[in-house]
Amino acid sequence: MKKVNVLFVCLGNICRSPTAHGVFQHKVAEARLGDSILVDSAGTGAWHIGNAPDERAIAAASARGYELGALRARQTRAEDFDDFDYILAMDRQNLSDLQQSRPAGYGGQLDLFLNFGRHPDFAEVPDPYYGAVQGFELVLDLVEGAAEGLLADIRHKYSL
Ligand code: 4NP
Protein backbone atom coordinates (compact mmCIF):
# COMPACT_ATOMS: atom_id res chain seq x y z
CA MET A 1 0.00 0.00 0.00
CA LYS A 2 1.19 3.53 -0.73
CA LYS A 3 2.33 5.39 2.36
CA VAL A 4 0.60 8.49 3.66
CA ASN A 5 3.24 11.20 3.17
CA VAL A 6 3.39 14.16 5.57
CA LEU A 7 5.59 17.25 5.09
CA PHE A 8 6.07 19.90 7.79
CA VAL A 9 7.17 23.33 6.54
CA CYS A 10 8.59 26.41 8.27
CA LEU A 11 10.99 29.15 7.18
CA GLY A 12 14.46 27.82 7.98
CA ASN A 13 13.79 24.09 8.56
CA ILE A 14 16.05 24.24 11.61
CA CYS A 15 13.62 25.03 14.48
CA ARG A 16 9.87 24.46 14.11
CA SER A 17 9.45 22.00 11.24
CA PRO A 18 12.27 19.66 12.40
CA THR A 19 10.61 19.68 15.84
CA ALA A 20 7.30 18.72 14.24
CA HIS A 21 9.12 16.11 12.13
CA GLY A 22 10.78 14.49 15.16
CA VAL A 23 7.73 14.61 17.42
CA PHE A 24 5.35 13.26 14.78
CA GLN A 25 7.83 10.55 13.72
CA HIS A 26 8.01 9.48 17.38
CA LYS A 27 4.23 9.28 17.65
CA VAL A 28 4.00 7.33 14.39
CA ALA A 29 6.58 4.84 15.70
CA GLU A 30 4.74 4.53 19.04
CA ALA A 31 1.57 3.73 17.12
CA ARG A 32 3.53 1.18 15.03
CA LEU A 33 2.55 2.97 11.85
CA GLY A 34 6.06 3.53 10.50
CA ASP A 35 5.32 1.29 7.51
CA SER A 36 2.25 3.33 6.63
CA ILE A 37 3.23 6.96 7.26
CA LEU A 38 6.28 8.79 5.89
CA VAL A 39 7.38 12.02 7.61
CA ASP A 40 9.58 14.80 6.23
CA SER A 41 10.22 18.51 6.75
CA ALA A 42 11.47 21.45 4.69
CA GLY A 43 11.91 25.22 4.79
CA THR A 44 10.67 27.86 2.38
CA GLY A 45 14.04 29.63 2.77
CA ALA A 46 17.43 28.44 1.54
CA TRP A 47 19.80 29.77 4.24
CA HIS A 48 20.20 26.55 6.22
CA ILE A 49 20.17 23.85 3.51
CA GLY A 50 22.18 20.84 4.73
CA ASN A 51 22.35 22.05 8.33
CA ALA A 52 21.33 20.13 11.43
CA PRO A 53 18.53 21.62 13.53
CA ASP A 54 19.28 24.55 15.84
CA GLU A 55 21.07 23.32 18.99
CA ARG A 56 18.33 24.82 21.18
CA ALA A 57 15.68 22.85 19.29
CA ILE A 58 17.74 19.65 19.59
CA ALA A 59 18.23 20.16 23.36
CA ALA A 60 14.60 21.02 24.13
CA ALA A 61 13.33 18.06 22.10
CA SER A 62 15.89 15.67 23.60
CA ALA A 63 14.70 16.56 27.11
CA ARG A 64 11.25 15.27 26.09
CA GLY A 65 12.61 12.14 24.44
CA TYR A 66 12.68 13.22 20.78
CA GLU A 67 15.87 12.92 18.72
CA LEU A 68 16.34 15.61 16.06
CA GLY A 69 20.12 15.48 15.64
CA ALA A 70 20.22 13.41 12.45
CA LEU A 71 17.83 15.67 10.53
CA ARG A 72 19.23 17.95 7.82
CA ALA A 73 17.52 21.01 6.40
CA ARG A 74 16.23 21.17 2.85
CA GLN A 75 14.21 23.71 0.91
CA THR A 76 10.69 23.09 -0.32
CA ARG A 77 10.49 22.11 -4.02
CA ALA A 78 7.82 21.87 -6.70
CA GLU A 79 7.74 18.05 -6.51
CA ASP A 80 6.60 18.21 -2.89
CA PHE A 81 3.10 18.72 -4.28
CA ASP A 82 3.43 15.43 -6.19
CA ASP A 83 4.85 13.56 -3.24
CA PHE A 84 2.97 14.66 -0.10
CA ASP A 85 -0.62 14.03 0.99
CA TYR A 86 -0.32 16.61 3.78
CA ILE A 87 1.77 19.79 3.53
CA LEU A 88 1.51 21.51 6.89
CA ALA A 89 2.80 25.03 7.49
CA MET A 90 3.90 26.37 10.84
CA ASP A 91 2.69 29.94 10.24
CA ARG A 92 0.55 31.95 7.84
CA GLN A 93 3.54 33.32 5.96
CA ASN A 94 4.79 29.78 5.26
CA LEU A 95 1.27 28.84 4.15
CA SER A 96 1.01 31.86 1.88
CA ASP A 97 4.40 31.08 0.31
CA LEU A 98 3.30 27.50 -0.33
CA GLN A 99 -0.03 28.60 -1.77
CA GLN A 100 1.87 30.66 -4.37
CA SER A 101 3.45 27.50 -5.79
CA ARG A 102 0.53 25.14 -5.27
CA PRO A 103 -0.44 23.50 -8.59
CA ALA A 104 -4.12 23.77 -9.49
CA GLY A 105 -4.51 19.99 -9.37
CA TYR A 106 -2.98 19.40 -5.95
CA GLY A 107 -5.25 16.87 -4.28
CA GLY A 108 -3.67 16.78 -0.83
CA GLN A 109 -4.20 18.96 2.21
CA LEU A 110 -2.22 22.20 2.37
CA ASP A 111 -2.99 23.73 5.74
CA LEU A 112 -1.74 25.26 8.97
CA PHE A 113 -0.40 22.47 11.18
CA LEU A 114 -2.14 23.88 14.27
CA ASN A 115 -5.52 23.35 12.62
CA PHE A 116 -5.01 19.80 13.92
CA GLY A 117 -4.52 21.08 17.48
CA ARG A 118 -7.09 22.46 19.82
CA HIS A 119 -5.07 25.23 21.42
CA PRO A 120 -7.37 28.18 22.14
CA ASP A 121 -4.66 30.86 21.83
CA PHE A 122 -2.43 29.75 18.98
CA ALA A 123 -3.26 29.28 15.30
CA GLU A 124 0.42 29.46 14.31
CA VAL A 125 3.67 28.12 15.79
CA PRO A 126 5.66 31.25 16.74
CA ASP A 127 9.17 31.45 15.27
CA PRO A 128 11.56 30.86 18.22
CA TYR A 129 14.78 31.60 16.30
CA TYR A 130 15.49 35.10 17.62
CA GLY A 131 13.93 34.57 21.06
CA ALA A 132 14.66 32.89 24.38
CA VAL A 133 14.73 29.18 25.17
CA GLN A 134 11.14 29.34 26.43
CA GLY A 135 10.13 29.77 22.82
CA PHE A 136 11.37 26.28 22.08
CA GLU A 137 9.27 24.85 24.92
CA LEU A 138 6.21 26.57 23.48
CA VAL A 139 7.01 25.10 20.05
CA LEU A 140 7.11 21.63 21.62
CA ASP A 141 3.86 22.17 23.54
CA LEU A 142 2.02 23.28 20.40
CA VAL A 143 3.56 20.63 18.18
CA GLU A 144 2.80 17.79 20.59
CA GLY A 145 -0.86 18.80 20.71
CA ALA A 146 -1.29 19.12 16.97
CA ALA A 147 0.64 15.90 16.32
CA GLU A 148 -1.98 13.96 18.29
CA GLY A 149 -4.76 15.53 16.24
CA LEU A 150 -2.97 14.90 12.96
CA LEU A 151 -2.37 11.25 13.77
CA ALA A 152 -6.03 10.80 14.68
CA ASP A 153 -7.05 12.48 11.40
CA ILE A 154 -4.81 10.21 9.32
CA ARG A 155 -5.94 7.08 11.16
CA HIS A 156 -9.57 8.00 10.57
CA LYS A 157 -9.16 9.03 6.92
CA TYR A 158 -6.99 6.08 5.89
CA SER A 159 -8.46 3.48 8.29
CA LEU A 160 -5.10 2.85 9.96
P1 4NP B 1 12.37 28.01 11.68
O1 4NP B 1 13.16 29.22 12.39
O2 4NP B 1 11.66 28.63 10.51
O3 4NP B 1 11.46 27.54 12.74
O4 4NP B 1 13.42 27.00 11.27
C1 4NP B 1 14.04 30.05 11.70
C2 4NP B 1 15.35 29.67 11.49
C3 4NP B 1 16.22 30.51 10.82
C4 4NP B 1 15.77 31.73 10.36
C5 4NP B 1 14.45 32.10 10.54
C6 4NP B 1 13.59 31.25 11.23
N1 4NP B 1 16.66 32.59 9.68
O5 4NP B 1 16.24 33.72 9.34
O6 4NP B 1 17.81 32.24 9.43
Side-chain angles (χ1 to χ4, degrees):
M1 197 193 83
K2 182 193 163 300
K3 285 189 177 188
V4 181
N5 293 345
V6 178
L7 180 67
F8 297 106
V9 177
C10 63
L11 179 59
N13 193 210
I14 57 167
C15 297
R16 292 165 293 173
S17 62
T19 300
H21 185 159
V23 168
F24 191 62
Q25 186 78 71
H26 187 93
K27 293 195 182 294
V28 165
E30 267 181 352
R32 300 187 182 280
L33 289 172
D35 291 339
S36 303
I37 302 174
L38 178 142
V39 188
D40 197 6
S41 62
T44 58
W47 309 285
H48 299 284
I49 290 171
N51 291 353
D54 188 288
E55 285 184 12
R56 298 165 294 173
I58 293 176
S62 178
R64 298 195 194 189
Y66 309 112
E67 287 309 319
L68 310 185
L71 300 176
R72 293 295 177 268
R74 74 167 176 87
Q75 193 170 22
T76 50
R77 48 188 176 237
E79 306 87 76
D80 288 332
F81 288 98
D82 299 325
D83 296 340
F84 289 93
D85 305 290
Y86 290 80
I87 300 179
L88 301 174
M90 297 298 131
D91 65 36
R92 291 192 181 90
Q93 183 61 55
N94 310 144
L95 181 62
S96 163
D97 290 341
L98 289 160
Q99 281 165 340
Q100 303 286 322
S101 46
R102 173 191 185 138
Y106 179 59
Q109 185 165 351
L110 173 60
D111 210 341
L112 284 173
F113 179 37
L114 292 195
N115 276 349
F116 291 95
R118 278 166 293 278
H119 201 293
D121 301 325
F122 290 91
E124 309 175 274
V125 184
D127 185 347
Y129 187 63
Y130 293 106
V133 290
Q134 290 90 326
F136 289 84
E137 297 299 331
L138 176 61
V139 169
L140 278 161
D141 293 341
L142 296 171
V143 161
E144 284 179 331
E148 292 287 347
L150 175 60
L151 189 57
D153 183 83
I154 292 174
R155 296 190 82 142
H156 176 73
K157 193 178 287 175
Y158 293 88
S159 305
L160 293 173

